[in-house]
Amino acid sequence: VPYVRDREVSRPAGEVIAEVKELVSKGCKEIHLLGQNVNSYAPEDKYPFSEENPYARYFPRLLWELNQIDDLKRIHFTSSHPKDMNDEVIDALTLPKQVNYLHLALQSGDDVILKNMNRKYTVNDYFKIIKKLRDAKPGIAIGTDIIVGYPGETGDQFQNTIKFFKKVRFDIAYTAMFSPRAGTAAAELVDDVEHEEKRRRWHELQIIMKKITLEKNKKYIGREAEVLIDTVTSEYREGNSLEMKRVQIKNSSAKLGDIVKVKVVDAMEWVLFAS
């Protein structure tokens, strides 16, 4: 992506914080920080972070400052890169206003493919991060991105991805079949995995993901969920839980923007049902 979009540019911290405060003053309850790689955030401005701020790195420092804003209820960010998922970012995920979800792109469960992708981490490196995340924040939901059919990916290498997926047990995965993107280094490689084989691998991974997602979602049955209502119809209310699970609530009078606590009574792959 950097070859296509050029290098990352970080918005000044003061500008980000000012915009969040303005949005909160207008009633916004959840902020979503978005970047190609948010945890490599490194603004050039010399924002006067609070002396009480415990972090040294810029992104967790920003998260800490945003957590101090009154009336802001939730902070969510996407997307993060494993190479920059350091201990301070992991610790910042435990701050009180952070959602209980992290999207952390894997891309492949095979070390050779990761190296060919220039991802600069190994499967073992990634798993160590997952363990730290779950130790720091038990119950955190984790999503990821995976590419199947990357140039040169053998059947055995794809099976390594399957094995690793089952080991981590992601809550959700956004899976793509490789296709060349003009301007990227991968576009110069021979796209040697047949389209039908890519589709077969995509479907195999989808089936496994849906099975694991349903198993994990069923564990929410009988538990309480905190839901920020973003959809109101005559039949139900709907919104995201702190784990970024879609929750549909029947027999509710909640209004758009309300945060309500409900009991989960049933679950499917992509939605929890509550009352």
Side-chain angles (χ1 to χ4, degrees):
V1 172
Y3 291 101
V4 178
R5 297 185 180 175
D6 211 344
R7 304 309 303 176
E8 296 170 339
V9 177
S10 297
R11 284 183 67 189
E15 184 179 307
V16 174
I17 292 169
E19 182 178 352
V20 171
K21 287 181 176 179
E22 180 182 2
L23 289 168
V24 172
S25 73
K26 295 177 180 179
C28 182
K29 294 180 179 178
E30 179 179 290
I31 292 295
H32 190 166
L33 303 173
L34 179 65
Q36 182 60 39
N37 175 16
V38 292
N39 50 337
S40 68
Y41 179 69
E44 295 182 358
D45 68 322
K46 304 298 181 183
Y47 182 78
F49 290 109
S50 168
E51 292 183 359
E52 297 177 7
N53 195 315
Y55 301 118
R57 295 177 182 268
Y58 275 110
F59 188 57
R61 295 192 93 186
L62 176 64
L63 293 177
W64 189 91
E65 296 290 337
L66 296 179
N67 267 266
Q68 311 313 306
I69 298 175
D70 292 338
D71 297 324
L72 176 58
K73 304 300 183 184
R74 293 183 176 185
I75 302 170
H76 180 208
F77 61 83
T78 300
S79 60
S80 49
H81 195 297
K83 72 180 179 66
D84 295 306
M85 187 52 63
N86 55 69
D87 289 347
E88 285 200 340
V89 175
I90 292 172
D91 187 78
L93 283 166
T94 68
L95 293 170
K97 297 183 181 182
Q98 299 301 133
V99 298
N100 197 28
Y101 173 83
L102 177 70
H103 187 90
L104 188 66
L106 170 64
Q107 303 301 9
S108 173
D110 182 84
D111 284 340
V112 173
I113 297 299
L114 287 174
K115 183 177 180 180
N116 292 345
M117 289 177 170
N118 197 31
R119 292 293 288 177
K120 300 190 185 304
Y121 57 85
T122 66
V123 168
N124 189 49
D125 294 334
Y126 188 98
F127 192 71
K128 286 180 180 178
I129 295 169
I130 296 299
K131 187 176 186 307
K132 284 184 177 182
L133 286 165
R134 288 174 170 162
D135 286 345
K137 198 164 187 176
I140 188 171
I142 299 174
T144 196
D145 295 325
I146 293 177
I147 296 172
V148 300
Y150 191 82
E153 183 186 67
T154 66
D156 286 344
Q157 288 171 328
F158 171 68
Q159 287 305 313
N160 286 339
T161 295
I162 294 290
K163 291 173 187 175
F164 191 69
F165 193 100
K166 291 178 178 178
K167 181 178 180 179
V168 175
R169 292 180 60 83
F170 294 99
D171 286 74
I172 190 169
Y174 299 90
T175 307
M177 294 181 288
F178 173 82
S179 60
R181 180 181 292 183
T184 64
E188 304 300 319
L189 301 176
V190 177
D191 187 9
D192 57 355
V193 181
E194 294 292 334
H195 182 72
E196 283 307 309
E197 176 60 16
K198 290 178 185 176
R199 285 185 59 84
R200 188 197 68 76
R201 294 178 188 181
W202 184 89
H203 279 292
E204 183 177 345
L205 190 54
Q206 285 291 110
I207 290 169
I208 292 167
M209 176 189 67
K210 290 174 70 175
K211 180 176 182 292
I212 292 173
T213 298
L214 181 58
E215 289 173 356
K216 298 193 84 164
N217 283 358
K218 283 186 176 295
K219 292 183 178 180
Y220 289 91
I221 296 175
R223 290 164 51 181
E224 186 178 77
E226 180 183 288
V227 183
L228 174 56
I229 303 298
D230 59 32
T231 301
V232 172
T233 76
S234 59
E235 298 180 358
Y236 60 84
R237 305 293 190 262
E238 192 170 287
N240 287 334
S241 72
L242 285 168
E243 292 74 29
M244 293 292 111
K245 306 279 187 179
R246 291 301 290 175
V247 182
Q248 190 177 106
I249 313 162
K250 293 202 172 176
N251 304 316
S252 172
S253 59
K255 302 184 294 299
L256 197 68
D258 284 352
I259 295 178
V260 297
K261 291 185 177 181
V262 295
K263 184 177 180 180
V264 178
V265 296
D266 201 2
M268 295 180 66
E269 290 94 339
W270 314 125
V271 63
L272 305 179
F273 298 95
S275 61

